Amino acid sequence: MNDSVNILIIEDEEDINHLLCNIIRTNGYTPKPAYSGTEAIIYIESQKWDMVLLDLMLPGLSGEEILKKISKESSVPVIIISAKLETQTKIDALRAGADDYITKPFDIEEVSARIDSCLRRYRHMPDVSITNQIHHKDLVLDTDTKMAIVNGNELNLTAREYKILFLLMSSPKKVFTKANLFESVWHEDFYGDDNTINVHMSNLRSKLSKANPNEAYIETIWGMGYRLKS
Amino acid sequence: MNDSVNILIIEDEEDINHLLCNIIRTNGYTPKPAYSGTEAIIYIESQKWDMVLLDLMLPGLSGEEILKKISKESSVPVIIISAKLETQTKIDALRAGADDYITKPFDIEEVSARIDSCLRRYRHMPDVSITNQIHHKDLVLDTDTKMAIVNGNELNLTAREYKILFLLMSSPKKVFTKANLFESVWHEDFYGDDNTINVHMSNLRSKLSKANPNEAYIETIWGMGYRLKS
DNA sequence: GGTTTTCTTAAGATTTATCTTAAGACTTTT
DNA sequence: AAAAGTCTTAAGATAAATCTTAAGAAAACC
């Protein structure tokens, strides 16, 4: 029962925190969001954690301070997630006890992979990641083969298509705006041409519906964006 | 290499697999989890094992089939762990080459004791032979001689090339990203120069295609990585 | 110490995915 | 019914990833 893997997420931006929670849940672990440094401290002191994801830019108590506190008091692995991409910041963080450092905007699969690999290192676990498939209704995304499986048909996806679908499936109920997509799939803060996304969505949909014409897997939310159809 | 005792655990339920891993680790041996019959076969063919723990109820390739395969090809001791408690099933398993039979839910200490005693019995007898080759189509990788065999031609591989090919062949359908390769082949978390991998792939491919110009064994998945061509 | 093998780096060539554009059809909202 | 947002197509342009080659660096071997 209590062999669940608990991961604390310290990140003040709600959107990003939720996204990280979903990634972690998808990977089979148990996420706990904290939205400020002071909130985080309470959680840190109240129970043991298997891992901490920490944003450096926090209101109030800074990420650096939290990092110091954590590494002084425990040996829990910490992955920094930060918009600061200066090498020096990175080095400082790693010196201060961080185990890995990911810059924003991040690739969700990379985050996923690094969490796995960090956990593996810590627990001396064998090199088999716990889950390599994401399921949603009869749609399966295989993160090993990078294929979608619909109706038993294996579909080859391009890198972009795969990443879009991965994102949608990682948060099944969430509506992803085009800005969200540009950030998570393209890793760009600025917004590209909306039509770029239209076209990719169209291509992705047509691959999926070729495998199962009776079902629409991706839903358009008018004026908002896209989500997985539930 | 080392004199660790390697035990393969074939069990699809994650919780139980992890538990068995822990027991084995506690006893001073090295566990390797396999979560399906097909995965197990790969490991069985890829190296020598000191023992196999096998669940009879597996998705896909059944436990009985695996047991037959193992006992046909090698003399590695096999302990069955199963929820089936009919006497007939038990007898059948023992006839088919199993060395011991434990019913679920099991007593941790009992499992531990039986593993020890079974190993003690076997230690003196050398394992006659589990195959030391991995096959994929007409490509064979010999884990003893570290050579690839294509079309009957034995190819000398460098250490890197061997490791890359071994990795690809260990999961025939999986797409390996460059990050995967750096981690598994170079044992580096940070990502080196992509081009290093390009060049090694190129060299490996040219060796393979020199032996068989008609076949491409390694496939590039644009924007994602490489995989064995199936 | 010299020779051989293997690894890495770099630069140019090539291939492929992706982007852009645009126009007409469709859907939803007002 | 009109307007705004979205879908689909396709073709050409662009950007990015990859391949290949060769040469120098590093390591291993003799």
Short mmCIF file of all heavy atoms in Angstrom, two decimals, chain B residues 178 199 205 220 222-223 226, chain D residues 16-22:
data_model
loop_
_atom_site.label_atom_id
_atom_site.label_comp_id
_atom_site.label_asym_id
_atom_site.label_seq_id
_atom_site.Cartn_x
_atom_site.Cartn_y
_atom_site.Cartn_z
N LYS B 178 18.77 10.02 -28.26
CA LYS B 178 20.19 10.24 -28.00
C LYS B 178 20.46 10.28 -26.51
O LYS B 178 21.49 9.80 -26.04
CB LYS B 178 20.63 11.52 -28.68
CG LYS B 178 20.46 11.36 -30.17
CD LYS B 178 21.17 12.39 -30.98
CE LYS B 178 21.20 11.85 -32.41
NZ LYS B 178 21.22 12.89 -33.41
N VAL B 199 27.97 9.64 -35.75
CA VAL B 199 29.15 9.01 -36.35
C VAL B 199 29.21 7.52 -35.99
O VAL B 199 29.45 6.68 -36.87
CB VAL B 199 30.43 9.73 -35.92
CG1 VAL B 199 31.65 8.96 -36.39
CG2 VAL B 199 30.44 11.14 -36.47
N ARG B 205 26.44 1.10 -39.03
CA ARG B 205 25.66 0.77 -40.22
C ARG B 205 26.53 0.31 -41.37
O ARG B 205 26.19 -0.63 -42.09
CB ARG B 205 24.86 1.99 -40.68
CG ARG B 205 23.57 2.19 -39.94
CD ARG B 205 22.99 3.53 -40.29
NE ARG B 205 21.60 3.64 -39.89
CZ ARG B 205 20.98 4.80 -39.67
NH1 ARG B 205 21.65 5.94 -39.80
NH2 ARG B 205 19.73 4.83 -39.31
N THR B 220 16.39 5.21 -38.64
CA THR B 220 16.38 6.53 -38.00
C THR B 220 14.95 7.00 -37.87
O THR B 220 14.20 6.98 -38.83
CB THR B 220 17.13 7.55 -38.87
OG1 THR B 220 18.46 7.10 -39.04
CG2 THR B 220 17.13 8.92 -38.21
N TRP B 222 13.16 10.22 -37.32
CA TRP B 222 13.50 11.64 -37.37
C TRP B 222 12.98 12.41 -36.16
O TRP B 222 11.80 12.34 -35.82
CB TRP B 222 12.96 12.27 -38.64
CG TRP B 222 14.02 13.08 -39.28
CD1 TRP B 222 14.19 14.41 -39.14
CD2 TRP B 222 15.08 12.62 -40.11
NE1 TRP B 222 15.29 14.81 -39.84
CE2 TRP B 222 15.85 13.76 -40.44
CE3 TRP B 222 15.46 11.38 -40.59
CZ2 TRP B 222 16.97 13.66 -41.26
CZ3 TRP B 222 16.57 11.29 -41.39
CH2 TRP B 222 17.32 12.41 -41.72
N GLY B 223 13.89 13.14 -35.55
CA GLY B 223 13.49 13.96 -34.41
C GLY B 223 13.32 13.16 -33.13
O GLY B 223 13.02 13.72 -32.09
N TYR B 226 16.75 6.32 -32.75
CA TYR B 226 17.02 5.17 -33.60
C TYR B 226 16.33 3.94 -33.06
O TYR B 226 16.07 3.83 -31.87
CB TYR B 226 18.53 4.90 -33.63
CG TYR B 226 19.35 6.05 -34.13
CD1 TYR B 226 19.76 7.05 -33.27
CD2 TYR B 226 19.70 6.14 -35.47
CE1 TYR B 226 20.52 8.12 -33.73
CE2 TYR B 226 20.45 7.20 -35.94
CZ TYR B 226 20.86 8.18 -35.07
OH TYR B 226 21.61 9.24 -35.53
P DA D 16 15.69 26.26 -36.97
OP1 DA D 16 14.98 26.75 -35.78
OP2 DA D 16 16.98 26.85 -37.38
"O5'" DA D 16 15.87 24.70 -36.81
"C5'" DA D 16 14.73 23.87 -36.84
"C4'" DA D 16 15.17 22.45 -37.12
"O4'" DA D 16 15.51 22.31 -38.50
"C3'" DA D 16 16.39 22.03 -36.31
"O3'" DA D 16 16.00 20.91 -35.56
"C2'" DA D 16 17.45 21.69 -37.36
"C1'" DA D 16 16.60 21.43 -38.60
N9 DA D 16 17.26 21.71 -39.87
C8 DA D 16 17.91 22.84 -40.25
N7 DA D 16 18.37 22.81 -41.49
C5 DA D 16 17.99 21.55 -41.93
C6 DA D 16 18.18 20.89 -43.15
N6 DA D 16 18.83 21.43 -44.20
N1 DA D 16 17.67 19.65 -43.27
C2 DA D 16 17.03 19.10 -42.23
N3 DA D 16 16.78 19.63 -41.03
C4 DA D 16 17.30 20.85 -40.95
P DA D 17 16.95 20.30 -34.47
OP1 DA D 17 16.15 20.17 -33.25
OP2 DA D 17 18.24 21.01 -34.46
"O5'" DA D 17 17.18 18.85 -35.06
"C5'" DA D 17 16.07 18.13 -35.56
"C4'" DA D 17 16.57 17.03 -36.46
"O4'" DA D 17 17.11 17.58 -37.67
"C3'" DA D 17 17.68 16.19 -35.83
"O3'" DA D 17 17.25 14.84 -35.85
"C2'" DA D 17 18.91 16.47 -36.69
"C1'" DA D 17 18.31 16.93 -38.01
N9 DA D 17 19.11 17.89 -38.75
C8 DA D 17 19.59 19.09 -38.31
N7 DA D 17 20.26 19.76 -39.21
C5 DA D 17 20.22 18.95 -40.33
C6 DA D 17 20.74 19.09 -41.62
N6 DA D 17 21.44 20.17 -42.02
N1 DA D 17 20.52 18.10 -42.51
C2 DA D 17 19.82 17.03 -42.11
N3 DA D 17 19.27 16.78 -40.92
C4 DA D 17 19.51 17.80 -40.06
P DT D 18 18.16 13.72 -35.26
OP1 DT D 18 17.25 12.63 -34.89
OP2 DT D 18 19.11 14.29 -34.30
"O5'" DT D 18 18.98 13.26 -36.55
"C5'" DT D 18 18.28 12.87 -37.71
"C4'" DT D 18 19.24 12.70 -38.85
"O4'" DT D 18 19.85 13.95 -39.20
"C3'" DT D 18 20.41 11.74 -38.57
"O3'" DT D 18 20.23 10.63 -39.45
"C2'" DT D 18 21.65 12.55 -38.88
"C1'" DT D 18 21.10 13.65 -39.77
N1 DT D 18 21.87 14.92 -39.82
C2 DT D 18 22.44 15.30 -41.01
O2 DT D 18 22.38 14.62 -42.03
N3 DT D 18 23.12 16.50 -40.97
C4 DT D 18 23.26 17.34 -39.89
O4 DT D 18 23.88 18.39 -39.98
C5 DT D 18 22.62 16.89 -38.67
C7 DT D 18 22.70 17.73 -37.44
C6 DT D 18 21.96 15.72 -38.70
P DC D 19 21.28 9.44 -39.40
OP1 DC D 19 20.55 8.22 -39.78
OP2 DC D 19 22.07 9.51 -38.17
"O5'" DC D 19 22.23 9.83 -40.62
"C5'" DC D 19 21.67 9.89 -41.93
"C4'" DC D 19 22.78 10.15 -42.94
"O4'" DC D 19 23.30 11.47 -42.71
"C3'" DC D 19 23.97 9.19 -42.85
"O3'" DC D 19 24.17 8.65 -44.15
"C2'" DC D 19 25.13 10.04 -42.37
"C1'" DC D 19 24.71 11.45 -42.78
N1 DC D 19 25.16 12.56 -41.89
C2 DC D 19 25.88 13.63 -42.43
O2 DC D 19 26.17 13.60 -43.64
N3 DC D 19 26.25 14.66 -41.63
C4 DC D 19 25.91 14.66 -40.34
N4 DC D 19 26.29 15.70 -39.60
C5 DC D 19 25.19 13.58 -39.76
C6 DC D 19 24.83 12.56 -40.56
P DT D 20 25.19 7.44 -44.35
OP1 DT D 20 24.78 6.67 -45.53
OP2 DT D 20 25.39 6.77 -43.06
"O5'" DT D 20 26.52 8.22 -44.71
"C5'" DT D 20 26.49 9.14 -45.81
"C4'" DT D 20 27.79 9.91 -45.88
"O4'" DT D 20 27.84 10.89 -44.82
"C3'" DT D 20 29.05 9.06 -45.72
"O3'" DT D 20 29.72 9.09 -46.98
"C2'" DT D 20 29.85 9.72 -44.60
"C1'" DT D 20 29.19 11.09 -44.46
N1 DT D 20 29.15 11.70 -43.10
C2 DT D 20 29.65 12.96 -42.93
O2 DT D 20 30.14 13.61 -43.82
N3 DT D 20 29.53 13.46 -41.64
C4 DT D 20 28.99 12.80 -40.55
O4 DT D 20 28.95 13.36 -39.46
C5 DT D 20 28.50 11.48 -40.79
C7 DT D 20 27.90 10.69 -39.67
C6 DT D 20 28.59 10.99 -42.04
P DT D 21 30.95 8.08 -47.25
OP1 DT D 21 30.85 7.71 -48.67
OP2 DT D 21 31.01 7.02 -46.22
"O5'" DT D 21 32.21 9.03 -47.04
"C5'" DT D 21 32.13 10.37 -47.52
"C4'" DT D 21 33.20 11.23 -46.86
"O4'" DT D 21 32.73 11.70 -45.59
"C3'" DT D 21 34.52 10.49 -46.59
"O3'" DT D 21 35.50 11.05 -47.44
"C2'" DT D 21 34.82 10.76 -45.11
"C1'" DT D 21 33.83 11.85 -44.72
N1 DT D 21 33.30 11.75 -43.35
C2 DT D 21 33.25 12.89 -42.57
O2 DT D 21 33.63 13.97 -42.96
N3 DT D 21 32.73 12.70 -41.31
C4 DT D 21 32.28 11.50 -40.77
O4 DT D 21 31.84 11.47 -39.64
C5 DT D 21 32.36 10.35 -41.64
C7 DT D 21 31.90 9.03 -41.15
C6 DT D 21 32.86 10.53 -42.87
P DA D 22 36.95 10.36 -47.53
OP1 DA D 22 37.42 10.60 -48.91
OP2 DA D 22 36.97 8.99 -46.96
"O5'" DA D 22 37.76 11.32 -46.54
"C5'" DA D 22 37.54 12.72 -46.59
"C4'" DA D 22 38.23 13.37 -45.41
"O4'" DA D 22 37.41 13.23 -44.23
"C3'" DA D 22 39.58 12.73 -45.06
"O3'" DA D 22 40.49 13.74 -44.69
"C2'" DA D 22 39.24 11.85 -43.88
"C1'" DA D 22 38.22 12.73 -43.18
N9 DA D 22 37.36 12.04 -42.21
C8 DA D 22 36.88 10.76 -42.26
N7 DA D 22 36.13 10.43 -41.23
C5 DA D 22 36.12 11.57 -40.46
C6 DA D 22 35.51 11.87 -39.23
N6 DA D 22 34.75 11.01 -38.55
N1 DA D 22 35.70 13.11 -38.72
C2 DA D 22 36.47 13.98 -39.40
N3 DA D 22 37.08 13.81 -40.57
C4 DA D 22 36.87 12.57 -41.05
#
